Amino acid sequence: MTELVYLKNDEAVCDSLQVAEKFGKRHDNVMRAISNLLKNEEIENRKIFRISHHKDAKGRTYEKYIMNRKGFTILVMGFNGKDAVHWKLMYSDAFDQMEALIKEKATQTWVETRKAGKLTRRAETDTIQKLVEYAKGQGSTHAEMLYMTYSKLANKMAGIGKRDEATVMQLNNLSLMENIILHVIDTGILTGKHYKEIYQDCKKRLETVKDLAYLESVA
């Protein structure tokens, strides 16, 4: 859900491009609606809409608006349609989650957990470096991609998109996943397994841990 809302300069925001997509509207019409709102001096002074840019599939640059909760609320107030209420509620929940995360990031617990996670990540990276050389020795021509492959795997299993937008619980789960990864890799190298088999072993172990963590969370 939080993919609807993201952090920008430590503020929870969404953008006109995705709002247009979710509410089934043309982006140029949404941009025009925001431009009309900005003709109101009070709205303009509050800085709840900020111009930004995005690139399309062909690499062409276009404008879009970034907006905070107030901006979003004012923009979609008059939006109607089959799924309008659904998306208004989904965005409201997403803003709630992101704003709760902003408060959590200000705590010492989050700061210390993130710091500890970086140390675990460093150890995992050192282990993956050994795997890269090991995979090259087994004939891999794309071994350098293993850093990204294992990073995506750990993030996915911990339910994380961006590490700086993760909760303390997610960061702890991520550290657990990364510790498992480095252990499985070390063991795989020592026993002479193929580097692709090592990845499958990691995936199976992480899926098991993920399932157990879920069961404990709902128990």
Side-chain angles (χ1 to χ4, degrees):
M1 184 182 298
T2 52
E3 69 270 12
L4 298 175
V5 174
Y6 52 94
L7 287 179
K8 188 81 170 178
N9 299 324
D10 291 326
E11 183 179 27
V13 298
C14 61
D15 62 68
S16 58
L17 195 64
Q18 192 174 61
V19 168
E21 176 191 340
K22 299 304 182 184
F23 283 86
K25 297 184 179 295
R26 286 173 45 133
H27 186 235
D28 59 337
N29 289 337
V30 173
M31 291 287 286
R32 190 175 299 110
I34 295 173
S35 295
N36 288 334
L37 287 170
L38 287 171
K39 292 176 182 178
N40 182 297
E41 186 176 348
E42 185 175 359
I43 291 178
E44 183 181 16
N45 290 339
R46 283 178 176 264
K47 307 299 181 185
I48 57 179
F49 296 102
R50 298 192 299 273
I51 200 70
S52 184
H53 299 86
H54 71 96
K55 290 186 177 181
D56 66 9
K58 295 182 179 179
R60 295 173 297 191
T61 301
Y62 294 95
E63 290 185 339
K64 67 177 180 180
Y65 277 105
I66 302 294
M67 67 199 86
N68 60 18
R69 184 195 282 268
K70 283 189 175 70
F72 170 80
T73 301
I74 291 172
L75 173 64
V76 305
M77 193 175 295
F79 282 11
N80 296 305
K82 179 182 177 182
D83 297 321
V85 171
H86 167 74
W87 286 112
K88 287 177 183 179
L89 291 172
M90 291 291 283
Y91 269 97
S92 178
D93 289 344
F95 270 109
D96 286 345
Q97 289 182 16
M98 192 57 72
E99 288 166 359
L101 172 62
I102 291 171
K103 291 180 181 178
E104 186 174 358
K105 285 185 66 175
T107 66
Q108 190 63 28
T109 299
W110 189 93
V111 173
E112 291 175 356
T113 302
R114 183 73 176 100
K115 184 178 180 179
K118 289 180 179 180
L119 294 176
T120 303
R121 173 61 176 167
R122 192 175 305 156
E124 182 200 25
T125 300
D126 291 342
T127 298
I128 294 175
Q129 177 59 45
K130 291 190 294 183
L131 180 63
V132 167
E133 298 305 318
Y134 181 76
K136 287 179 180 178
Q138 292 184 331
S140 173
T141 56
H142 303 287
E144 298 295 338
M145 296 295 293
L146 290 171
Y147 292 105
M148 184 182 298
T149 299
Y150 277 93
S151 180
K152 286 183 176 180
L153 177 64
N155 285 356
K156 179 181 178 181
M157 292 300 178
I160 290 175
K162 298 179 181 178
R163 296 178 184 225
D164 283 336
E165 294 183 7
T167 64
V168 168
M169 180 179 294
Q170 287 175 324
L171 290 174
N172 283 327
N173 286 340
L174 180 62
S175 291
L176 173 61
M177 300 297 179
E178 290 179 331
N179 273 308
I180 290 172
I181 285 173
L182 65 88
H183 174 72
V184 173
I185 290 175
D186 279 335
T187 301
I189 292 175
L190 285 173
T191 55
K193 289 189 174 183
H194 193 274
Y195 75 94
K196 290 185 178 179
E197 187 179 357
I198 293 174
Y199 174 79
Q200 292 303 322
D201 287 346
C202 282
K203 189 175 180 182
K204 289 176 184 176
R205 285 284 301 277
L206 295 185
E207 285 175 343
T208 300
V209 172
K210 178 185 176 184
D211 290 342
L212 289 174
Y214 171 77
L215 289 174
E216 290 177 359
S217 68
V218 298

